[in-house]
Amino acid sequence: MNREAENAQTTAALKVYVDVHALLSKEGDLIPKSFVWEDGRTYEIDRIKKKEMQANRKAGGTGLMYTIIVDGKECHLYYEVDRFFMEKKLV
């Protein structure tokens, strides 16, 4: 793969900051339950598959990445220092 194609793949998303409703457990775990997308719609998180420290190569940034299931689809929710963001694909 050439560098231009590689760069296009890594910049194919925008970072969208979202409001998140979450539970902070007595053990100190931050557990997101739902999020509000930029159009105002609230989406319930059906399941958290995993969480891990991860760099976001598409939209930029580094943080705790939650792999979540929403309406049967897998997506990623990132916690970056003191706020959450998601990727918005560019068309």
Side-chain angles (χ1 to χ4, degrees), residues 60-75:
T62 302
L64 187 59
M65 181 184 75
Y66 293 84
T67 301
I68 59 175
I69 304 297
V70 177
D71 293 334
K73 296 180 183 172
E74 184 176 291
C75 55

Side-chain angles (χ1 to χ4, degrees), residues 19-82:
D19 291 329
V20 172
H21 303 150
L23 170 70
L24 182 58
S25 74
K26 62 185 175 185
E27 290 83 17
D29 292 323
L30 183 60
I31 306 165
K33 297 293 190 177
S34 65
F35 63 90
V36 182
W37 190 242
E38 62 185 350
D39 64 2
R41 289 187 286 176
T42 299
Y43 293 89
E44 297 296 321
I45 296 170
D46 300 322
R47 183 165 64 100
I48 298 172
K49 288 181 70 176
K50 64 180 175 179
K51 66 178 182 176
E52 59 189 332
M53 290 303 292
Q54 186 77 24
N56 182 305
R57 291 183 279 164
K58 292 180 183 176
T62 302
L64 187 59
M65 181 184 75
Y66 293 84
T67 301
I68 59 175
I69 304 297
V70 177
D71 293 334
K73 296 180 183 172
E74 184 176 291
C75 55
H76 298 108
L77 175 66
Y78 295 85
Y79 183 67
E80 174 185 69
V81 183
D82 58 355

Side-chain angles (χ1 to χ4, degrees), residues 3-23:
R3 257 203 217 280
E4 286 178 313
E6 189 175 277
N7 286 341
Q9 280 187 336
T10 60
T11 59
L14 291 175
K15 188 185 289 189
V16 176
Y17 289 99
V18 294
D19 291 329
V20 172
H21 303 150
L23 170 70

